[in-house]
Amino acid sequence: MRRLLFVTVFAAGCSNQNPGSAEALWDELQADEYHSWSRPPGYPGRTPSSTVHGDEVEIFVNDVLATALSAGAPLSRWPDGARIVKDGFQGGTNHVVVAMDKRGDEWFFAEYEPDGEVLYSGHPHACTRCHGDANDGVLAFA
């Protein structure tokens, strides 16, 4: 029983590694009105999805990433300050908001309830298990 309790508490702590930073990021995303950001190539609006984020997604990218995408040259790394936000829908209802924030050489991940409650943050396995195999962590577009 003691071991089970430790594993449960440890796993929960690892999933939300940096809630303060995730809450600050949420505030910035709301202030920046991320729904007004550009859409990445191939994602002009709500798009069918087969990911854990939902059966449909809407993806938004900030100006830093939009500029990098419009440059036309292949990138081996996304620029510092790039942000990607994905609204995940299940059965037509927004059930999750996920964000990737490029900080130096790595991504900060955060997953939220639609009201902004932090579910995951930092480099949780829930995010990195899939995104770790991608081109600099980005799975949705080249």
Side-chain angles (χ1 to χ4, degrees), residues 6-17 119-120:
F6 172 77
V7 170
T8 302
V9 171
F10 182 76
C14 287
S15 295
N16 197 0
Q17 298 164 352
L119 300 171
Y120 302 103

Side-chain angles (χ1 to χ4, degrees), residues 7-48:
V7 170
T8 302
V9 171
F10 182 76
C14 287
S15 295
N16 197 0
Q17 298 164 352
N18 195 335
S21 188
E23 290 167 1
L25 177 58
W26 177 262
D27 291 343
E28 291 176 27
L29 296 174
Q30 299 310 302
D32 288 347
E33 299 179 358
Y34 77 87
H35 285 116
S36 67
W37 291 358
S38 298
R39 304 296 184 107
Y43 296 86
R46 196 176 299 186
T47 308

Side-chain angles (χ1 to χ4, degrees), residues 18-80:
N18 195 335
S21 188
E23 290 167 1
L25 177 58
W26 177 262
D27 291 343
E28 291 176 27
L29 296 174
Q30 299 310 302
D32 288 347
E33 299 179 358
Y34 77 87
H35 285 116
S36 67
W37 291 358
S38 298
R39 304 296 184 107
Y43 296 86
R46 196 176 299 186
T47 308
S49 173
S50 59
T51 70
V52 299
H53 302 298
D55 56 25
E56 295 179 305
V57 295
E58 287 190 67
I59 302 174
F60 307 90
V61 297
N62 71 349
D63 289 343
V64 172
L65 192 54
T67 299
L69 287 168
S70 68
L75 298 171
S76 60
R77 312 271 319 146
W78 296 103
D80 185 35

Side-chain angles (χ1 to χ4, degrees), residues 53 96-99 109-113 117-121 126-127:
H53 302 298
V96 69
V97 177
V98 294
F109 296 91
E111 184 169 312
Y112 308 92
E113 294 281 351
E117 181 181 338
V118 180
L119 300 171
Y120 302 103
S121 66
C127 302

